[in-house]
Amino acid sequence: MNKELTAVKICLGRFQPFTLGHLKMAIYKNLKGPDKEQQDSLVQQPDLYKIANQKTVILAISTSEDKVDTRHPFSDNVMKDEFELIKQNYKDEIADVLYVNSADICACGAILKDAGYKASVWLTGSDEFPKYKKMAIMVPDYEKRNVKNCAGAYTDSFYVEEIERTEDKDFVSSISGTKVRQALLDGDRQLFSKMMPKGMDKYFDEFKKKVENAPEPKKKTSKKKIKEGIMPLKEYILESIK
């Protein structure tokens, strides 16, 4: 007999690091429900009150040591301690933290299932909402075909909830990983503490060192190769008219 899966909210990101702004989104309860496009694709309409009171599983996109750079200075090994403290300090709101390789909704579903969860709603900001919504609309088909073993990982009323940022009215909504990393570079412990969940003060010195020592992102090289001995057309034309 299959173990019954626990219904949860999910929140996905790279979290470099996990800020108070991320926490606000992860524990968001004022759900508006799916927009019309999503409603039309649902097997069942969501019970917003019930979903709002479910705990959240944080899906952290993995950053291996060899992928660390100035935009992603914190590897999984560094972040795991912060996430453990997050789970302890917000145990009534946060059910778990799981690592995923990407935002692939089917791959995420398989990981959720393996950990004993199924998702009721995906909480995300306005910037990622259109992309995630397109994936969510396809969930019934993905589950029917059991793409990447995701069947059963999402409820019949699963949808993506857009959480709009109100930076002009709300300090927490204005927080970003970029601002936190800058505070670390500036050595501004007070601002760092203000932008992070409770208990994170203890990581200031460690995080500061990681940000300061992170290498610049590797430049992407073109995959196009010029055959040896053949002059590019532009150079050939210039040589011809000299």
Side-chain angles (χ1 to χ4, degrees), residues 74-85:
F74 311 115
S75 68
D76 297 346
N77 289 331
V78 175
M79 289 302 300
K80 67 181 181 181
D81 289 335
E82 181 192 358
F83 281 133
E84 282 302 316
L85 196 55

Side-chain angles (χ1 to χ4, degrees), residues 65-209:
E65 292 289 348
D66 62 318
K67 297 295 183 182
V68 164
D69 58 33
T70 51
R71 292 201 314 157
H72 313 103
F74 311 115
S75 68
D76 297 346
N77 289 331
V78 175
M79 289 302 300
K80 67 181 181 181
D81 289 335
E82 181 192 358
F83 281 133
E84 282 302 316
L85 196 55
I86 291 287
K87 287 196 292 182
Q88 291 175 26
N89 291 343
Y90 299 92
K91 59 185 177 182
D92 292 334
E93 294 93 359
I94 304 298
D96 211 342
V97 178
L98 303 176
Y99 285 92
V100 297
N101 291 324
S102 70
D104 184 304
I105 200 166
C106 297
C108 288
I111 289 172
L112 282 166
K113 244 185 3 175
D114 286 345
Y117 304 108
K118 61 180 176 180
S120 299
V121 65
W122 185 336
L123 305 170
T124 189
S126 298
D127 51 343
E128 301 287 359
F129 174 70
K131 177 174 67 177
Y132 294 161
K133 183 177 78 167
K134 286 180 181 178
M135 290 194 291
I137 289 173
M138 293 298 297
V139 161
D141 178 60
Y142 292 151
E143 293 215 337
K144 183 179 179 180
R145 294 187 288 119
N146 196 20
V147 178
K148 298 181 181 178
N149 193 32
C150 72
Y154 298 95
T155 66
D156 288 341
S157 62
F158 174 76
Y159 76 100
V160 179
E161 175 83 22
E162 179 183 12
I163 302 173
E164 298 178 2
R165 298 179 73 171
T166 53
E167 297 186 23
D168 55 333
K169 300 177 182 178
D170 180 12
F171 170 75
V172 175
S173 291
S174 73
I175 298 171
S176 67
T178 301
K179 290 181 179 179
V180 172
R181 295 193 297 273
Q182 188 59 53
L184 289 163
L185 286 172
D186 294 341
D188 194 333
R189 186 184 294 268
Q190 184 176 1
L191 181 57
F192 171 82
S193 299
K194 189 177 180 181
M195 293 192 289
M196 297 291 286
K198 62 185 178 184
M200 297 300 113
D201 295 7
K202 63 190 288 185
Y203 296 114
F204 179 81
D205 292 327
E206 180 185 0
F207 281 12
K208 184 176 187 295
K209 189 178 295 185

Side-chain angles (χ1 to χ4, degrees), residues 28-40:
Y28 193 78
K29 289 190 174 185
N30 298 322
L31 304 178
K32 302 185 297 292
D35 60 10
K36 187 179 186 308
E37 189 177 3
Q38 292 187 86
Q39 282 180 346
D40 292 343

